[in-house]
Amino acid sequence: MDRPASRAHGSARHRRRLSRNTSGRGRTPDFAVSLPLRVVHLTREYLDHDATSTPEQLRRVRRRVRHELRDVTVRMQWEGPRTAAATSRTFHQLGRLCGAAPGRQGVFVPRQLDRHDLKAGLRRLAELPAPARADLPGISPTRTRQRLTGAIIAHTAMRCLGIAHVTLSPWAVQEGVLLTQLQERRVPRERLGEKRAPLGEAQAGRLPTGAG
């Protein structure tokens, strides 16, 4: 991982919302875009079945993802991201499929998803009928169809953007908004000192109870 001052790239929320992609040189993104790459919708459109998927079905999903990413790819490649992070549950479950530490080990355990490993994981998902995918590590029984679609989106995006691996972040948009709000509302220590006299000075001007 590069130092915090390096450029950063993030890809978030493929599950219930539009795909959000951001990039920037510091803590806050300089570029952000939402793309119509919802896993639920693409699954219904291309892979809504329990049987194993054909190579042509997989190619159709890849073509759709590349089409939606074409303009974003040019911008983000121009930025040249050095650090890539992913926050969605889809990426986390795919990371678990590819060998990342399970969630019970805590949020501070480093987790990473390599594109090479993801390609192998995608192949495993595609070779199995949807019900059998639930036996794989990290794959939720209620998301067996969607995880194949998510794997195609994730691998295609990483390949188009030239990203070899992503760091799996335990925090996403809502945590970032919360931390930003807390930071903006925090009162500097100097201002607190102006409003509140030191404890010793406050007690020095106070007479003991019953004195006088």
Side-chain angles (χ1 to χ4, degrees):
M1 295 295 292
D2 291 329
R3 56 184 183 277
S6 65
R7 300 173 184 175
H9 163 79
S11 176
R13 296 299 181 197
H14 288 282
R15 190 165 57 96
R16 295 179 181 173
R17 306 175 183 177
L18 297 178
S19 169
R20 293 175 181 168
N21 297 266
T22 64
S23 66
R25 299 170 182 267
R27 293 184 177 182
T28 57
D30 300 320
F31 171 72
V33 63
S34 295
L35 301 174
L37 291 174
R38 292 180 60 179
V39 168
V40 174
H41 287 176
L42 292 183
T43 301
R44 290 174 180 171
E45 186 174 352
Y46 297 106
L47 303 174
D48 193 16
H49 53 77
D50 287 335
T52 56
S53 299
T54 66
E56 178 57 30
Q57 289 172 324
L58 303 182
R59 280 193 291 269
R60 289 175 61 194
V61 180
R62 287 195 189 95
R63 283 196 295 266
R64 173 68 179 277
V65 176
R66 286 196 297 266
H67 174 76
E68 298 295 346
L69 281 173
R70 64 190 187 284
D71 295 331
V72 177
T73 299
V74 174
R75 172 60 188 269
M76 289 190 171
Q77 285 183 337
W78 177 78
E79 287 284 349
R82 300 176 185 175
T83 301
T87 66
S88 73
R89 182 176 297 182
T90 296
F91 267 94
H92 277 269
Q93 290 197 357
L94 292 173
R96 182 73 188 98
L97 171 67
C98 297
R104 63 176 177 272
Q105 293 188 15
V107 298
F108 297 108
V109 175
R111 293 177 175 86
Q112 183 173 284
L113 177 60
D114 293 327
R115 192 175 75 199
H116 178 77
D117 295 336
L118 178 56
K119 183 178 181 180
L122 195 163
R123 189 180 300 114
R124 291 176 66 189
L125 290 170
E127 291 174 348
L128 294 174
R133 295 170 193 158
D135 295 330
L136 298 175
I139 304 301
S140 169
T142 59
R143 297 286 187 270
T144 54
R145 296 180 183 178
Q146 297 175 21
R147 287 301 166 257
L148 174 57
T149 309
I152 298 172
I153 294 174
H155 183 265
T156 304
M158 292 176 68
R159 185 174 181 181
C160 288
L161 294 170
I163 296 173
H165 60 267
V166 296
T167 298
L168 301 176
S169 172
W171 298 286
V173 175
Q174 59 186 4
E175 289 84 4
V177 171
L178 178 60
L179 290 173
T180 300
Q181 291 294 320
L182 291 174
Q183 201 168 35
E184 290 177 351
R185 296 180 182 181
R186 186 175 57 190
V187 180
R189 292 181 179 272
E190 303 81 50
R191 290 175 56 188
L192 285 174
E194 293 173 3
K195 295 181 179 180
R196 182 183 302 173
L199 183 60
E201 294 180 11
Q203 290 180 340
R206 183 183 304 165
L207 292 176
T209 303

